[in-house]
Amino acid sequence: MSRLIVISNRVSAGGGAAGGLAVALMAALRENGGIWFGWSGGRTDQFTGHINFHIEDDVRTATIDLEDQDIEEYYNGYANRTLWPLFHYRIDLAEYERSFAGGYRRVNERFAETVLPLIEAEDSVWVQDYHMLPLGADLRERGVTNRIGFFLHIPWPPRKLLMTLPEAREMVEMLFAYDLMGFHTQEWLDSFCDFVREELGGTISDDGTTATLGDRTLKLIACPVGIDAREFADLAASGTARTTFRRVKDSAVGRALMVGVDRLDYSKGLEERFLGYERFLTEHPEERKEVVLLQIAPPSRGAVESYQRIRTTLEGLAGRINGAYAGLDWVPIRYVNQAYARDMLAGVYRASRIGLVTPLMDGMNLVAKEYIAAQDPADPGVLILSRFAGAASQMKEAILVNPHSAEELSDAMLQALVMPLEERKRRWTIMMEDVQKRDVMWWLNEFTTALDACGRDEPSPKVVALPTKGAVKTS
Ligand code: GDG
């Protein structure tokens, strides 16, 4: 494989804090050489294009700082208040502001301008996620003729929903600057094709693997991201995981533990999950005091109002349910607003009889896979999984639920609690095989192999002036 230039909004730090995805991208960069480029998360008074280079775990990272206005309009604005809700089917929350769209375009151009001198002739460029949709086109405009791939980590919304975005057509047209576009599932890929066909008049090949618009052909691939299953199973066997397992088990004093681990985000269906649990407690008084729900929900995107609202709503709901049902020695919901180290999470998953993964909409959902990977093969827990998570297309042996229905959630909780060991093992074995087979390295290979196979027959790069503002310094 050629050298890889990975471009994403943020550059994930390596080391113990890194998730499976970051670990895999780092592994690819280590193996093939290359650079991971993105926003540092930091601010600057005036954007200069100054790049900070670092070496992390033998991988070269390059980050830039952004201006306050960039962060407000591009990150808190278009990415988190326009695209995120829209792509998760929440047009009721999506905000369509020209200033956001303008900031998004500006920052993508700044990314393109700044990364340009780092791209060498034979490199493959891999752009990640919805923050950077137009980046391929911005790079082409600056004369980049390298292979450029894009992977979308979130769902692709249905055509009519996407059409609520004022610049939807222009945005999708720009995607034809890429050589390859990857989605987690066939469903998201099909929605993309539907838009191309119906709104842009493009064509899709009979086998559904390419989309053509004018003289541009874009390859399409559905490849679900996985986790590093081996690493996760090792984490679950680590000393910290074992201590955490014991602590959590002891604290449940013989009760079955249900666990949810999600960023505090309205797409994750936390409110609906709490309501489903409340229904379960009401409908099954005999099960009260037999169960405890542990919800770990580290806050995210706190600068955005809808995220502040969900936090308040959940605090109210947890308070109400605990107020109604708690006794001297039992509290039905333990709601924790902080993040834990991954090895501790592995211990928590293993200690939990039920894994609750019930997003209203999710591109994939890695927690579902982590929960399965952390289980004890001799006594595995049960996964309750939303039909609307991309993961449901792979994990059919979970108890699949409609997360909007409190009754279905309640029924699923009961079914999971009484499920015999043999059935738990059967379901878990099937899911575990797939989690191991289609792991994060599998995903990486699928995508990069497809990208490598994209032929580039464009004219040689136009000569472009190096950015005058982009003084590249190392620090
Ligand atoms: C996007 C898409 C897609 C959570 N709490 C803690 C913690 N986490 C980790 C989990 C998991 C990750 O965060 C969350 O991944 P998800 O896949 O569930 O969701 P998003 O963050 O929304 O990710 C999603 C993904 O991209 C990859 O393509 O699957 O659909 O929305 O790894 O374990 N990690 C630690 N402490 C916590 O408290 N250390």
Side-chain angles (χ1 to χ4, degrees):
M1 204 181 95
S2 48
R3 207 178 78 127
L4 204 55
I5 307 289
V6 174
I7 307 175
S8 56
N9 172 53
R10 294 292 301 275
V11 172
S12 287
L21 195 60
V23 170
L25 290 170
M26 299 279 278
L29 288 164
R30 237 186 330 266
E31 202 171 303
N32 303 293
I35 299 174
W36 192 342
F37 181 88
W39 174 36
S40 63
R43 295 165 188 271
T44 176
D45 288 342
Q46 202 186 354
F47 182 77
T48 58
H50 170 82
I51 303 177
N52 285 304
F53 287 104
H54 291 282
I55 304 282
E56 288 184 44
D57 294 341
D58 297 332
V59 169
R60 201 161 166 229
T61 63
T63 58
I64 52 172
D65 299 336
L66 293 175
E67 290 171 15
D68 280 349
Q69 195 183 348
D70 290 340
I71 298 169
E72 208 36 52
E73 293 174 349
Y74 148 79
Y75 181 67
N76 291 326
Y78 206 74
N80 288 339
R81 286 160 67 180
T82 307
L83 294 180
W84 178 270
L86 168 62
F87 278 53
H88 287 87
Y89 298 25
R90 293 297 303 270
I91 54 173
D92 57 318
L93 296 176
E95 296 173 48
Y96 301 135
E97 299 280 342
R98 286 194 182 136
S99 61
F100 292 175
Y104 183 74
R105 294 295 300 111
R106 182 177 65 247
V107 170
N108 269 268
E109 283 167 9
R110 286 183 165 175
F111 263 61
E113 195 79 8
T114 318
V115 77
L116 194 64
L118 307 184
I119 302 173
E120 294 173 6
E122 296 304 316
D123 293 349
S124 289
V125 180
W126 189 4
V127 179
Q128 308 283 329
D129 228 359
Y130 63 101
H131 310 87
M132 300 283 136
L133 289 162
L135 187 65
D138 291 334
L139 289 169
R140 295 277 182 241
E141 223 169 69
R142 287 161 178 78
V144 173
T145 59
N146 302 52
R147 291 186 185 87
I148 313 182
F150 178 89
F151 192 86
L152 184 69
H153 290 266
I154 63 176
W156 184 275
R159 167 164 64 93
K160 291 288 183 198
L161 291 187
L162 186 51
M163 277 307 287
T164 64
L165 181 74
E167 51 280 347
R169 284 202 183 92
E170 180 195 340
M171 180 89 85
V172 180
E173 274 168 21
M174 289 179 107
L175 294 174
F176 281 79
Y178 292 108
D179 296 298
L180 173 69
M181 227 181 127
F183 303 84
H184 285 305
T185 67
Q186 191 62 40
E187 187 184 348
W188 315 140
L189 189 155
D190 288 344
S191 293
F192 173 80
C193 291
D194 187 42
F195 190 96
V196 169
R197 227 178 354 237
E198 303 300 326
E199 299 296 341
L200 302 181
T203 51
I204 308 300
S205 61
D206 289 344
D207 63 1
T209 59
T210 58
T212 302
L213 189 67
D215 61 354
R216 288 287 309 151
T217 293
L218 169 62
K219 280 202 181 177
L220 304 170
I221 184 175
C223 66
V225 73
I227 61 163
D228 187 338
R230 199 180 317 154
E231 177 233 31
F232 219 84
D234 288 350
L235 279 180
S238 67
T240 309
R242 283 212 294 270
T243 314
T244 310
F245 173 90
R246 225 10 322 134
R247 271 178 62 197
V248 173
K249 274 272 193 207
D250 289 351
S251 73
V253 279
R255 298 177 185 107
L257 202 70
M258 303 192 198
V259 74
V261 176
D262 310 77
R263 273 189 309 103
L264 191 51
D265 190 300
Y266 49 79
S267 69
K268 301 292 182 187
L270 296 170
E271 192 178 336
E272 290 74 7
R273 189 180 302 168
F274 282 12
L275 291 172
Y277 182 58
E278 184 179 41
R279 171 74 68 130
F280 171 80
L281 296 175
T282 315
E283 281 181 348
H284 302 288
E286 74 288 356
E287 297 294 338
R288 283 180 211 157
K289 303 205 176 183
E290 297 301 322
V291 292
V292 177
L293 169 59
L294 169 61
Q295 178 61 55
I296 296 177
S300 68
R301 305 173 192 173
V304 177
E305 199 198 324
S306 49
Y307 286 77
Q308 296 157 7
R309 265 205 311 272
I310 182 176
R311 189 165 182 175
T312 313
T313 308
L314 285 171
E315 279 163 8
L317 214 46
R320 184 178 90 198
I321 297 169
N322 282 340
Y325 294 103
L328 283 178
D329 60 349
W330 175 67
V331 176
I333 300 187
R334 265 187 245 162
Y335 175 47
V336 187
N337 273 148
Q338 63 164 347
Y340 290 90
R342 284 170 67 72
D343 48 3
M344 292 181 82
L345 279 189
V348 173
Y349 289 139
R350 201 175 173 97
S352 300
R353 180 63 180 282
I354 299 176
L356 279 172
V357 180
T358 58
L360 305 182
M361 200 53 68
D362 218 330
M364 175 50 50
N365 195 296
L366 296 178
V367 172
K369 298 184 176 183
E370 292 167 1
Y371 177 76
I372 291 299
Q375 294 306 300
D376 175 358
D379 185 21
V382 181
L383 176 65
I384 296 180
L385 178 61
S386 163
R387 296 180 186 283
F388 305 121
S393 65
Q394 289 177 279
M395 307 181 85
K396 297 195 191 312
E397 302 302 318
I399 299 180
L400 295 177
V401 290
N402 171 2
H404 297 274
S405 162
E407 284 163 342
E408 262 192 47
L409 284 170
S410 165
D411 290 352
M413 288 172 189
L414 187 66
Q415 185 188 347
L417 278 176
V418 300
M419 190 179 285
L421 176 63
E422 281 318 304
E423 185 177 350
R424 281 192 275 133
K425 280 187 182 169
R426 183 186 63 75
R427 288 174 182 253
W428 175 81
T429 306
I430 297 171
M431 287 191 279
M432 184 62 175
E433 270 173 16
D434 192 55
V435 166
Q436 284 173 323
K437 195 173 119 210
R438 290 194 273 179
D439 67 356
V440 73
M441 294 313 285
W442 172 89
W443 171 78
L444 192 79
N445 283 331
E446 286 287 298
F447 190 91
T448 51
T449 305
L451 184 58
D452 269 354
C454 291
R456 296 285 316 155
D457 48 14
E458 303 277 287
S460 33
K462 281 184 251 159
V463 179
V464 285
L466 286 181
T468 46
K469 294 182 287 184
V472 178
K473 291 190 201 132
T474 312
S475 64

